[in-house]
Coordinates of all heavy atoms in Angstrom, one line a residue:
M171 N 9.5 -4.5 9.2 CA 8.9 -5.3 10.3 C 8.3 -6.6 9.6 O 7.6 -6.4 8.7 CB 7.9 -4.5 11.1 CG 7.3 -5.3 12.2 SD 6.0 -4.4 13.1 CE 6.9 -3.0 13.8
T172 N 8.7 -7.7 10.1 CA 8.1 -8.9 9.5 C 7.0 -9.5 10.3 O 6.2 -10.3 9.7 CB 9.3 -10.0 9.4 OG1 9.8 -10.3 10.7 CG2 10.3 -9.5 8.4
T173 N 6.8 -9.2 11.6 CA 5.7 -9.7 12.3 C 5.1 -8.6 13.1 O 5.8 -7.6 13.5 CB 6.1 -10.9 13.3 OG1 7.1 -10.3 14.2 CG2 6.7 -12.0 12.6
F174 N 3.9 -8.7 13.5 CA 3.2 -7.7 14.3 C 2.6 -8.5 15.5 O 1.7 -9.3 15.4 CB 2.0 -7.1 13.5 CG 2.5 -6.4 12.3 CD1 2.4 -7.0 11.0 CD2 3.0 -5.1 12.3 CE1 2.8 -6.3 9.9 CE2 3.5 -4.4 11.2 CZ 3.4 -5.1 10.0
N175 N 3.2 -8.2 16.7 CA 2.7 -8.8 17.9 C 1.6 -8.0 18.6 O 1.6 -6.8 18.4 CB 3.9 -9.0 18.9 CG 5.0 -9.8 18.3 OD1 4.7 -10.9 17.8 ND2 6.2 -9.4 18.5
H176 N 0.7 -8.7 19.3 CA -0.4 -8.0 20.0 C -1.2 -7.1 19.1 O -1.3 -6.0 19.3 CB 0.2 -7.2 21.2 CG 1.1 -8.0 22.1 ND1 0.7 -9.0 22.9 CD2 2.4 -8.0 22.2 CE1 1.7 -9.6 23.5 NE2 2.8 -9.0 23.1
A177 N -1.7 -7.7 18.0 CA -2.5 -7.0 17.0 C -3.8 -7.6 16.9 O -4.0 -8.8 17.1 CB -1.7 -7.0 15.7
T178 N -4.8 -6.8 16.4 CA -6.1 -7.2 16.1 C -6.2 -7.1 14.5 O -5.8 -6.1 14.0 CB -7.2 -6.3 16.7 OG1 -7.0 -6.4 18.2 CG2 -8.6 -6.8 16.3
I179 N -6.8 -8.1 13.9 CA -6.9 -8.1 12.5 C -8.4 -8.2 12.2 O -9.1 -9.0 12.7 CB -6.2 -9.3 11.8 CG1 -4.7 -9.3 12.2 CG2 -6.5 -9.4 10.3 CD1 -4.0 -10.6 11.8
E180 N -8.9 -7.2 11.3 CA -10.2 -7.2 10.9 C -10.4 -8.3 9.9 O -9.7 -8.4 8.9 CB -10.6 -5.8 10.3 CG -10.6 -4.8 11.4 CD -11.0 -3.4 10.9 OE1 -11.4 -3.3 9.7 OE2 -11.0 -2.4 11.7
Q181 N -11.4 -9.2 10.1 CA -11.6 -10.3 9.3 C -12.0 -10.0 7.9 O -11.5 -10.7 6.9 CB -12.7 -11.2 10.0 CG -12.9 -12.5 9.2 CD -13.9 -13.4 9.9 OE1 -14.7 -12.9 10.7 NE2 -13.9 -14.7 9.6
Q182 N -12.9 -9.0 7.7 CA -13.3 -8.7 6.3 C -12.2 -8.0 5.5 O -11.7 -7.1 6.0 CB -14.6 -7.9 6.4 CG -15.2 -7.7 5.0 CD -16.6 -7.0 5.1 OE1 -17.1 -6.8 6.1 NE2 -17.1 -6.7 3.9
A183 N -12.0 -8.5 4.3 CA -11.0 -7.9 3.4 C -11.5 -6.6 2.8 O -12.7 -6.5 2.6 CB -10.6 -8.9 2.3
N184 N -10.6 -5.7 2.5 CA -10.9 -4.5 1.7 C -10.6 -5.0 0.3 O -9.5 -5.3 0.0 CB -10.0 -3.4 2.1 CG -10.1 -3.1 3.6 OD1 -11.1 -2.8 4.1 ND2 -8.9 -3.2 4.3
I185 N -11.6 -4.9 -0.6 CA -11.4 -5.4 -2.0 C -11.6 -4.3 -3.0 O -12.6 -3.5 -2.9 CB -12.3 -6.6 -2.3 CG1 -12.0 -7.7 -1.3 CG2 -12.2 -7.0 -3.7 CD1 -13.0 -8.8 -1.4
Y186 N -10.6 -4.1 -3.9 CA -10.7 -3.0 -4.9 C -10.4 -3.5 -6.3 O -9.8 -4.6 -6.4 CB -9.6 -1.9 -4.5 CG -9.6 -1.5 -3.1 CD1 -8.7 -2.0 -2.2 CD2 -10.4 -0.5 -2.7 CE1 -8.7 -1.6 -0.9 CE2 -10.4 0.0 -1.3 CZ -9.5 -0.6 -0.4 OH -9.5 -0.2 0.9
F187 N -10.8 -2.7 -7.3 CA -10.5 -3.0 -8.6 C -10.9 -4.5 -9.0 O -10.0 -5.2 -9.5 CB -9.0 -2.8 -8.9 CG -8.5 -1.4 -8.6 CD1 -7.8 -1.1 -7.4 CD2 -8.8 -0.3 -9.4 CE1 -7.4 0.2 -7.1 CE2 -8.5 1.0 -9.1 CZ -7.7 1.2 -8.0
D188 N -12.1 -4.8 -8.8 CA -12.7 -6.1 -9.1 C -11.9 -7.2 -8.6 O -11.7 -8.3 -9.2 CB -12.8 -6.2 -10.7 CG -13.8 -5.2 -11.3 OD1 -14.8 -4.9 -10.6 OD2 -13.5 -4.7 -12.4
G189 N -11.4 -7.1 -7.4 CA -10.6 -8.1 -6.7 C -9.2 -8.2 -7.0 O -8.5 -9.1 -6.5
K190 N -8.7 -7.3 -7.9 CA -7.2 -7.4 -8.2 C -6.3 -6.8 -7.1 O -5.1 -7.1 -7.1 CB -7.0 -6.6 -9.5 CG -7.7 -7.3 -10.7 CD -7.4 -6.6 -12.0 CE -8.1 -7.2 -13.2 NZ -7.9 -6.5 -14.4
V191 N -6.9 -6.1 -6.2 CA -6.2 -5.5 -5.1 C -7.0 -5.8 -3.8 O -8.2 -5.5 -3.8 CB -6.0 -4.0 -5.2 CG1 -5.3 -3.4 -4.0 CG2 -5.2 -3.7 -6.5
S192 N -6.4 -6.4 -2.8 CA -7.1 -6.6 -1.5 C -6.1 -6.3 -0.4 O -4.9 -6.4 -0.5 CB -7.6 -8.0 -1.5 OG -6.6 -8.9 -1.4
S193 N -6.8 -6.0 0.8 CA -5.9 -5.8 2.0 C -6.8 -6.1 3.2 O -8.0 -6.2 3.1 CB -5.5 -4.3 2.0 OG -6.6 -3.4 2.2
R194 N -6.1 -6.3 4.3 CA -6.7 -6.5 5.6 C -6.2 -5.5 6.6 O -5.0 -5.2 6.6 CB -6.3 -7.9 6.1 CG -6.7 -9.0 5.2 CD -7.9 -9.8 5.7 NE -8.1 -10.9 4.8 CZ -9.3 -11.4 4.6 NH1 -10.3 -10.9 5.3 NH2 -9.5 -12.4 3.8
T195 N -7.1 -5.0 7.4 CA -6.7 -3.9 8.3 C -6.2 -4.6 9.6 O -6.8 -5.5 10.1 CB -7.9 -3.0 8.7 OG1 -8.4 -2.4 7.5 CG2 -7.6 -2.0 9.7
V196 N -5.1 -4.1 10.1 CA -4.4 -4.5 11.3 C -4.4 -3.4 12.3 O -4.0 -2.2 11.9 CB -3.0 -5.0 11.1 CG1 -2.3 -5.4 12.4 CG2 -3.0 -6.2 10.1
I197 N -4.8 -3.6 13.5 CA -4.8 -2.6 14.6 C -3.8 -3.0 15.6 O -4.0 -4.1 16.3 CB -6.2 -2.3 15.2 CG1 -7.2 -2.0 14.1 CG2 -6.1 -1.2 16.2 CD1 -8.6 -2.1 14.5
L198 N -2.7 -2.3 15.8 CA -1.7 -2.6 16.8 C -2.2 -2.3 18.2 O -3.1 -1.5 18.4 CB -0.4 -1.9 16.4 CG 0.2 -2.2 15.0 CD1 1.5 -1.5 14.8 CD2 0.4 -3.7 14.8
E199 N -1.5 -2.8 19.2 CA -1.8 -2.6 20.6 C -1.9 -1.1 20.9 O -2.7 -0.7 21.7 CB -0.8 -3.3 21.4 CG -1.2 -3.4 22.9 CD -0.2 -4.3 23.6 OE1 1.0 -4.3 23.4 OE2 -0.7 -5.1 24.5
N200 N -1.0 -0.3 20.3 CA -1.0 1.1 20.6 C -2.0 1.9 19.8 O -2.0 3.1 19.9 CB 0.4 1.7 20.3 CG 0.8 1.6 18.9 OD1 0.0 1.2 18.0 ND2 2.0 2.0 18.5
G201 N -2.9 1.2 19.1 CA -3.9 1.9 18.3 C -3.6 2.2 16.9 O -4.4 2.6 16.1
E202 N -2.3 2.1 16.5 CA -1.9 2.3 15.1 C -2.6 1.4 14.2 O -2.7 0.2 14.5 CB -0.4 2.2 15.0 CG 0.2 2.4 13.6 CD 1.7 2.2 13.5 OE1 2.3 1.9 14.6 OE2 2.2 2.3 12.4
R203 N -3.1 1.9 13.0 CA -3.7 1.1 12.0 C -2.8 1.0 10.8 O -2.1 2.0 10.4 CB -5.0 1.8 11.6 CG -6.0 1.9 12.7 CD -7.3 2.6 12.3 NE -8.1 1.8 11.4 CZ -9.1 1.0 11.8 NH1 -9.3 0.8 13.1 NH2 -9.8 0.3 11.0
L204 N -2.8 -0.1 10.2 CA -2.1 -0.4 8.9 C -2.9 -1.4 8.1 O -3.8 -2.0 8.7 CB -0.7 -0.8 9.2 CG -0.4 -2.0 10.1 CD1 -0.3 -3.3 9.3 CD2 0.8 -1.8 11.0
T205 N -2.5 -1.6 6.9 CA -3.1 -2.6 6.1 C -2.0 -3.5 5.5 O -0.9 -3.0 5.1 CB -4.0 -2.1 5.0 OG1 -3.3 -1.2 4.1 CG2 -5.2 -1.3 5.6
L206 N -2.3 -4.8 5.4 CA -1.5 -5.7 4.7 C -2.2 -6.0 3.4 O -3.3 -6.5 3.4 CB -1.3 -7.0 5.5 CG -0.8 -6.8 6.9 CD1 -0.8 -8.2 7.6 CD2 0.6 -6.2 6.9
G207 N -1.5 -5.7 2.2 CA -2.2 -5.8 1.0 C -1.5 -6.6 -0.1 O -0.3 -6.9 0.0
F208 N -2.2 -6.9 -1.2 CA -1.7 -7.7 -2.3 C -2.3 -7.2 -3.6 O -3.6 -7.0 -3.6 CB -2.0 -9.2 -2.1 CG -1.2 -10.0 -3.1 CD1 0.1 -10.4 -2.8 CD2 -1.8 -10.4 -4.3 CE1 0.8 -11.2 -3.6 CE2 -1.1 -11.2 -5.2 CZ 0.2 -11.6 -4.9
M209 N -1.5 -6.9 -4.6 CA -2.0 -6.4 -5.9 C -1.5 -7.5 -6.9 O -0.4 -7.9 -6.9 CB -1.3 -5.1 -6.3 CG -1.7 -3.9 -5.5 SD -0.9 -2.5 -6.2 CE -0.8 -1.5 -4.7
T210 N -2.4 -7.8 -7.8 CA -2.1 -8.6 -9.0 C -1.7 -7.7 -10.1 O -1.8 -6.5 -10.0 CB -3.2 -9.5 -9.4 OG1 -4.4 -8.7 -9.8 CG2 -3.6 -10.5 -8.3
S211 N -1.2 -8.3 -11.2 CA -0.7 -7.4 -12.3 C -1.8 -6.5 -12.8 O -3.0 -6.9 -12.9 CB -0.2 -8.3 -13.4 OG -1.2 -9.1 -13.9
G212 N -1.4 -5.3 -13.1 CA -2.4 -4.3 -13.6 C -1.9 -2.9 -13.3 O -0.9 -2.7 -12.7
E213 N -2.8 -1.9 -13.6 CA -2.5 -0.5 -13.4 C -3.7 0.0 -12.5 O -4.9 -0.3 -12.8 CB -2.4 0.3 -14.7 CG -1.2 -0.1 -15.5 CD -1.0 0.8 -16.7 OE1 -1.4 1.9 -16.7 OE2 -0.4 0.3 -17.7
Y214 N -3.3 0.8 -11.5 CA -4.3 1.3 -10.5 C -4.1 2.8 -10.2 O -2.9 3.2 -10.2 CB -4.2 0.4 -9.3 CG -4.2 -1.0 -9.5 CD1 -3.0 -1.8 -9.6 CD2 -5.4 -1.7 -9.8 CE1 -3.0 -3.1 -9.8 CE2 -5.4 -3.1 -10.1 CZ -4.2 -3.8 -10.1 OH -4.2 -5.1 -10.4
T215 N -5.1 3.4 -9.8 CA -5.1 4.8 -9.3 C -5.7 4.8 -7.9 O -6.8 4.3 -7.7 CB -5.8 5.8 -10.2 OG1 -5.2 5.8 -11.5 CG2 -5.7 7.2 -9.6
F216 N -4.9 5.3 -6.9 CA -5.4 5.3 -5.5 C -5.5 6.7 -5.0 O -4.7 7.6 -5.4 CB -4.3 4.6 -4.6 CG -4.2 3.1 -4.9 CD1 -3.2 2.6 -5.7 CD2 -5.1 2.2 -4.3 CE1 -3.1 1.3 -6.0 CE2 -4.9 0.8 -4.6 CZ -3.9 0.4 -5.4
N217 N -6.5 6.9 -4.2 CA -6.7 8.2 -3.5 C -6.3 8.0 -2.0 O -6.7 7.0 -1.4 CB -8.1 8.7 -3.6 CG -8.5 9.0 -5.1 OD1 -7.9 9.8 -5.7 ND2 -9.5 8.3 -5.6
T218 N -5.7 9.0 -1.4 CA -5.4 8.9 0.0 C -6.1 10.0 0.8 O -6.4 11.0 0.3 CB -3.9 9.2 0.2 OG1 -3.6 10.5 -0.1 CG2 -3.0 8.2 -0.6
A219 N -6.5 9.6 2.0 CA -7.0 10.6 3.0 C -6.0 11.0 3.9 O -5.8 12.2 4.2 CB -8.2 9.9 3.7
A220 N -5.2 10.0 4.5 CA -4.1 10.3 5.4 C -2.8 10.1 4.7 O -2.7 9.5 3.6 CB -4.2 9.3 6.6
K221 N -1.7 10.6 5.3 CA -0.4 10.4 4.7 C -0.1 8.9 4.9 O -0.4 8.3 5.9 CB 0.6 11.2 5.5 CG 2.0 11.1 5.0 CD 3.0 12.0 5.7 CE 4.4 11.8 5.2 NZ 5.4 12.6 5.9
E222 N 0.5 8.3 3.8 CA 0.8 6.9 3.9 C 2.2 6.6 3.5 O 2.9 7.3 2.8 CB -0.1 6.2 2.8 CG -1.6 6.3 3.0 CD -2.4 5.7 1.9 OE1 -1.8 5.0 1.0 OE2 -3.6 5.8 1.9
R223 N 2.7 5.5 4.1 CA 4.0 4.9 3.7 C 3.7 3.5 3.2 O 3.2 2.7 3.9 CB 5.0 4.9 4.9 CG 6.3 4.1 4.5 CD 7.4 4.4 5.5 NE 7.7 5.8 5.5 CZ 7.9 6.5 6.6 NH1 7.9 6.0 7.8 NH2 8.2 7.8 6.5
M224 N 4.1 3.3 2.0 CA 3.9 2.0 1.4 C 5.2 1.3 1.4 O 6.2 1.7 0.8 CB 3.4 2.1 -0.1 CG 2.1 2.8 -0.2 SD 0.7 1.7 0.1 CE 0.8 0.6 -1.3
E225 N 5.2 0.1 2.1 CA 6.4 -0.7 2.1 C 6.2 -1.9 1.3 O 5.2 -2.7 1.5 CB 6.7 -1.1 3.6 CG 7.9 -2.0 3.7 CD 8.1 -2.5 5.1 OE1 7.6 -1.9 6.1 OE2 8.8 -3.5 5.3
I226 N 7.1 -2.2 0.3 CA 6.9 -3.4 -0.5 C 7.6 -4.6 0.2 O 8.7 -4.5 0.6 CB 7.6 -3.1 -1.9 CG1 7.1 -1.8 -2.5 CG2 7.4 -4.3 -2.8 CD1 5.6 -1.8 -2.7
V227 N 6.8 -5.6 0.3 CA 7.2 -6.8 1.0 C 7.7 -7.9 0.0 O 8.6 -8.6 0.3 CB 6.1 -7.4 1.9 CG1 6.5 -8.6 2.6 CG2 5.7 -6.3 2.9
G228 N 7.0 -7.9 -1.1 CA 7.4 -8.9 -2.2 C 7.0 -8.4 -3.5 O 6.1 -7.5 -3.6
G229 N 7.6 -8.9 -4.6 CA 7.3 -8.5 -5.9 C 7.8 -7.1 -6.1 O 8.8 -6.7 -5.6
S230 N 7.1 -6.3 -7.0 CA 7.6 -4.9 -7.3 C 6.4 -4.1 -7.6 O 5.3 -4.6 -8.1 CB 8.6 -4.9 -8.4 OG 8.0 -5.3 -9.6
L231 N 6.5 -2.8 -7.4 CA 5.5 -1.8 -7.7 C 6.1 -0.6 -8.3 O 7.1 0.0 -7.8 CB 4.7 -1.5 -6.4 CG 3.5 -0.6 -6.6 CD1 2.4 -1.4 -7.4 CD2 2.9 -0.2 -5.3
T232 N 5.6 -0.2 -9.5 CA 6.1 1.0 -10.1 C 5.0 2.1 -9.9 O 3.8 1.9 -10.2 CB 6.3 0.8 -11.6 OG1 7.2 -0.3 -11.8 CG2 6.8 2.0 -12.3
V233 N 5.5 3.3 -9.4 CA 4.5 4.3 -9.0 C 4.9 5.6 -9.6 O 6.0 5.9 -9.9 CB 4.4 4.4 -7.5 CG1 3.9 3.2 -6.8 CG2 5.7 4.9 -6.9
Q234 N 3.8 6.4 -9.8 CA 4.0 7.8 -10.2 C 3.3 8.6 -9.0 O 2.1 8.5 -8.9 CB 3.3 8.1 -11.5 CG 3.4 9.6 -11.9 CD 2.7 9.9 -13.2 OE1 1.5 9.4 -13.4 NE2 3.3 10.6 -14.1
L235 N 4.1 9.3 -8.3 CA 3.6 10.0 -7.1 C 3.0 11.3 -7.5 O 3.3 11.8 -8.6 CB 4.8 10.2 -6.1 CG 5.3 8.9 -5.5 CD1 6.6 9.1 -4.7 CD2 4.2 8.2 -4.6
P236 N 2.2 12.0 -6.6 CA 1.6 13.2 -7.0 C 2.7 14.3 -7.3 O 3.8 14.3 -6.8 CB 0.9 13.6 -5.7 CG 0.8 12.4 -4.9 CD 1.9 11.5 -5.3
D237 N 2.4 15.1 -8.3 CA 3.2 16.2 -8.8 C 4.6 15.7 -9.4 O 5.5 16.4 -9.5 CB 3.5 17.2 -7.7 CG 2.2 17.8 -7.2 OD1 1.3 18.0 -8.0 OD2 2.1 18.0 -6.0
E238 N 4.7 14.4 -9.7 CA 5.9 13.8 -10.3 C 5.5 13.4 -11.8 O 4.5 12.8 -12.0 CB 6.4 12.6 -9.5 CG 6.9 13.0 -8.1 CD 8.2 13.7 -8.1 OE1 9.0 13.5 -9.0 OE2 8.4 14.5 -7.1
E239 N 6.4 13.6 -12.7 CA 6.2 13.1 -14.0 C 6.8 11.7 -14.2 O 6.3 10.9 -15.0 CB 6.8 14.0 -15.1 CG 6.1 15.4 -15.2 CD 6.6 16.2 -16.3 OE1 7.2 15.7 -17.2 OE2 6.5 17.5 -16.1
D240 N 7.9 11.4 -13.5 CA 8.6 10.1 -13.7 C 8.0 9.0 -12.8 O 7.4 9.3 -11.8 CB 10.1 10.3 -13.3 CG 10.8 11.2 -14.2 OD1 10.4 11.3 -15.4 OD2 11.8 11.8 -13.8
W241 N 8.1 7.8 -13.3 CA 7.7 6.6 -12.6 C 8.9 6.0 -11.9 O 10.0 6.1 -12.5 CB 7.0 5.6 -13.5 CG 5.7 6.0 -14.1 CD1 5.5 7.0 -15.0 CD2 4.4 5.5 -13.7 NE1 4.2 7.1 -15.3 CE2 3.5 6.2 -14.5 CE3 4.0 4.5 -12.9 CZ2 2.1 5.9 -14.5 CZ3 2.7 4.3 -12.8 CH2 1.7 4.9 -13.6
Q242 N 8.7 5.5 -10.7 CA 9.8 4.8 -10.0 C 9.4 3.4 -9.5 O 8.3 3.3 -9.0 CB 10.3 5.7 -8.8 CG 11.5 5.1 -8.2 CD 12.2 6.1 -7.2 OE1 11.9 7.2 -7.2 NE2 13.1 5.5 -6.4
T243 N 10.3 2.5 -9.7 CA 10.0 1.1 -9.3 C 10.6 0.8 -7.9 O 11.7 1.1 -7.6 CB 10.5 0.1 -10.3 OG1 9.9 0.4 -11.6 CG2 10.2 -1.4 -9.9
Y244 N 9.7 0.2 -7.0 CA 10.1 -0.2 -5.7 C 10.0 -1.7 -5.6 O 9.1 -2.3 -6.1 CB 9.2 0.5 -4.7 CG 9.4 2.0 -4.7 CD1 8.6 2.7 -5.5 CD2 10.3 2.6 -3.9 CE1 8.7 4.1 -5.5 CE2 10.4 4.0 -3.9 CZ 9.6 4.7 -4.7 OH 9.7 6.1 -4.8
T245 N 11.0 -2.3 -4.9 CA 11.0 -3.8 -4.7 C 11.0 -4.1 -3.2 O 11.1 -3.2 -2.4 CB 12.2 -4.4 -5.4 OG1 13.4 -3.8 -4.9 CG2 12.1 -4.2 -6.9
A246 N 11.0 -5.4 -2.9 CA 11.0 -5.8 -1.5 C 12.0 -5.1 -0.7 O 13.2 -5.0 -1.0 CB 11.2 -7.3 -1.4
G247 N 11.6 -4.6 0.5 CA 12.5 -3.9 1.4 C 12.5 -2.4 1.2 O 13.1 -1.6 2.0
Q248 N 11.9 -1.9 0.1 CA 11.9 -0.4 -0.2 C 10.5 0.1 0.1 O 9.5 -0.6 0.2 CB 12.2 -0.2 -1.7 CG 13.6 -0.6 -2.0 CD 13.9 -0.3 -3.5 OE1 13.1 -0.6 -4.4 NE2 15.0 0.4 -3.7
S249 N 10.4 1.4 0.4 CA 9.2 2.1 0.7 C 9.1 3.5 0.1 O 10.2 4.0 -0.3 CB 9.0 2.2 2.2 OG 10.0 3.0 2.8
F250 N 7.9 4.0 0.0 CA 7.7 5.4 -0.4 C 6.6 6.0 0.3 O 5.7 5.3 0.8 CB 7.5 5.5 -2.0 CG 6.3 4.7 -2.4 CD1 5.0 5.3 -2.5 CD2 6.4 3.3 -2.7 CE1 3.9 4.5 -2.9 CE2 5.3 2.6 -3.2 CZ 4.1 3.2 -3.3
D251 N 6.6 7.3 0.4 CA 5.5 8.1 1.1 C 4.6 8.8 0.2 O 5.1 9.3 -0.9 CB 6.1 9.1 2.1 CG 6.9 8.5 3.3 OD1 6.8 7.2 3.5 OD2 7.5 9.2 4.0
V252 N 3.3 8.8 0.5 CA 2.3 9.5 -0.3 C 1.7 10.6 0.6 O 1.2 10.2 1.7 CB 1.3 8.5 -0.9 CG1 0.3 9.2 -1.8 CG2 2.0 7.4 -1.6
P253 N 1.5 11.8 0.1 CA 0.9 12.8 0.9 C -0.6 12.5 1.2 O -1.2 11.8 0.4 CB 1.0 14.1 0.1 CG 2.0 13.8 -1.0 CD 2.0 12.3 -1.1
A254 N -1.1 13.1 2.2 CA -2.6 13.0 2.5 C -3.3 13.8 1.4 O -2.8 14.7 0.8 CB -2.9 13.6 3.9
N255 N -4.6 13.3 1.3 CA -5.5 14.0 0.3 C -4.9 14.1 -1.1 O -4.9 15.2 -1.6 CB -5.9 15.3 0.9 CG -6.6 15.2 2.2 OD1 -7.5 14.4 2.4 ND2 -6.1 16.0 3.2
S256 N -4.4 13.0 -1.6 CA -3.7 13.1 -2.9 C -4.1 11.8 -3.7 O -4.8 11.0 -3.2 CB -2.2 13.2 -2.8 OG -1.6 12.1 -2.2
Q257 N -3.5 11.7 -4.8 CA -3.7 10.6 -5.7 C -2.4 10.1 -6.3 O -1.6 10.9 -6.6 CB -4.7 11.0 -6.8 CG -5.1 9.9 -7.8 CD -6.1 10.5 -8.8 OE1 -5.6 11.1 -9.8 NE2 -7.4 10.2 -8.6
F258 N -2.2 8.8 -6.4 CA -1.0 8.3 -7.0 C -1.4 7.1 -7.9 O -2.4 6.5 -7.7 CB 0.1 7.9 -6.0 CG -0.2 6.7 -5.2 CD1 0.4 5.5 -5.5 CD2 -1.0 6.8 -4.1 CE1 0.2 4.4 -4.7 CE2 -1.2 5.6 -3.3 CZ -0.6 4.4 -3.6
H259 N -0.5 6.9 -8.9 CA -0.8 5.8 -9.9 C 0.3 4.7 -9.6 O 1.4 5.0 -9.3 CB -0.6 6.3 -11.3 CG -1.5 7.5 -11.6 ND1 -2.8 7.4 -11.8 CD2 -1.2 8.8 -11.7 CE1 -3.3 8.6 -12.0 NE2 -2.3 9.5 -11.9
A260 N -0.2 3.5 -9.8 CA 0.7 2.3 -9.5 C 0.4 1.2 -10.5 O -0.7 1.1 -11.0 CB 0.4 1.7 -8.1
K261 N 1.5 0.5 -10.8 CA 1.3 -0.6 -11.8 C 2.4 -1.7 -11.4 O 3.4 -1.4 -10.9 CB 1.5 -0.2 -13.2 CG 2.8 0.5 -13.6 CD 2.8 1.0 -15.0 CE 4.0 1.8 -15.3 NZ 4.0 2.3 -16.7
T262 N 2.0 -2.9 -11.7 CA 2.9 -4.1 -11.5 C 2.7 -5.1 -12.7 O 1.5 -5.3 -13.1 CB 2.7 -4.7 -10.2 OG1 3.6 -5.8 -10.1 CG2 1.3 -5.2 -9.9
D263 N 3.8 -5.6 -13.1 CA 3.7 -6.6 -14.2 C 3.4 -8.0 -13.6 O 3.0 -8.9 -14.3 CB 4.9 -6.7 -15.0 CG 5.1 -5.4 -15.8 OD1 4.1 -4.8 -16.2 OD2 6.3 -5.0 -16.1
T264 N 3.8 -8.2 -12.3 CA 3.7 -9.5 -11.7 C 2.7 -9.4 -10.5 O 1.5 -9.7 -10.6 CB 5.0 -10.1 -11.3 OG1 5.7 -9.1 -10.4 CG2 5.9 -10.3 -12.5
Y265 N 3.2 -9.0 -9.4 CA 2.4 -8.8 -8.2 C 3.2 -7.8 -7.3 O 4.4 -7.6 -7.4 CB 2.2 -10.1 -7.4 CG 3.4 -10.7 -6.8 CD1 3.6 -10.4 -5.4 CD2 4.3 -11.5 -7.4 CE1 4.8 -10.9 -4.8 CE2 5.4 -12.0 -6.8 CZ 5.6 -11.7 -5.5 OH 6.8 -12.1 -4.9
A266 N 2.5 -7.3 -6.3 CA 3.1 -6.5 -5.2 C 2.4 -6.9 -3.9 O 1.2 -6.8 -3.8 CB 2.9 -5.0 -5.5
D267 N 3.2 -7.3 -3.0 CA 2.8 -7.6 -1.6 C 3.3 -6.4 -0.8 O 4.5 -6.1 -0.9 CB 3.5 -8.9 -1.2 CG 3.0 -9.5 0.1 OD1 2.0 -8.9 0.7 OD2 3.5 -10.5 0.6
Y268 N 2.4 -5.8 -0.1 CA 2.8 -4.5 0.6 C 2.1 -4.4 2.0 O 1.2 -5.0 2.3 CB 2.4 -3.3 -0.3 CG 0.9 -3.2 -0.5 CD1 0.2 -2.4 0.4 CD2 0.2 -3.8 -1.5 CE1 -1.2 -2.2 0.3 CE2 -1.2 -3.7 -1.6 CZ -1.9 -2.9 -0.8 OH -3.2 -2.7 -0.9
T269 N 2.7 -3.5 2.7 CA 2.2 -3.0 4.0 C 2.0 -1.5 3.8 O 2.9 -0.8 3.4 CB 3.1 -3.3 5.2 OG1 3.3 -4.7 5.2 CG2 2.5 -2.8 6.5
C270 N 0.8 -1.0 4.2 CA 0.5 0.4 4.1 C 0.4 1.0 5.5 O -0.5 0.5 6.3 CB -0.8 0.7 3.3 SG -1.2 2.4 3.2
Y271 N 1.3 1.9 5.9 CA 1.2 2.5 7.2 C 0.6 3.9 7.1 O 0.9 4.6 6.2 CB 2.6 2.7 7.7 CG 3.4 1.4 8.0 CD1 4.2 0.9 6.9 CD2 3.3 0.8 9.2 CE1 4.9 -0.3 7.1 CE2 4.1 -0.4 9.4 CZ 4.8 -0.9 8.3 OH 5.5 -2.1 8.5
Y272 N -0.4 4.2 8.0 CA -1.0 5.5 8.0 C -0.3 6.4 8.9 O -0.2 6.1 10.1 CB -2.5 5.3 8.3 CG -3.2 4.4 7.3 CD1 -3.4 3.1 7.6 CD2 -3.6 5.0 6.1 CE1 -4.0 2.3 6.6 CE2 -4.2 4.1 5.1 CZ -4.4 2.8 5.4 OH -5.0 2.0 4.5
L273 N 0.3 7.5 8.4 CA 1.2 8.3 9.2 C 0.4 9.6 9.7 O -0.5 10.0 9.1 CB 2.4 8.8 8.4 CG 3.2 7.6 7.7 CD1 4.2 8.1 6.8 CD2 3.7 6.7 8.8
A274 N 0.9 10.1 10.8 CA 0.3 11.3 11.4 C 0.7 12.5 10.7 O 1.8 12.6 10.0 CB 0.6 11.4 12.9

């Protein structure tokens, strides 16, 4: 999806890793929440509460998902799912522009 119609955007950014990762929360008309985020080059570890789908919008992101030994790279137009209550590792050499969907 490239645009979100009839949405509310929370003005305050979510800032992580000393400003190297930031996102904004979007609330759709049907109550669905998602975040629009951006990562600069670096390595990060994220914890999840809900099941998430990460869609890469620009750049690339290399991830090691829970219980996986191998790393996989995702680029614009690709996505991956992360289980609830888990942790995953991510890294990018350039940047990653992404949308994070919180799944039921």
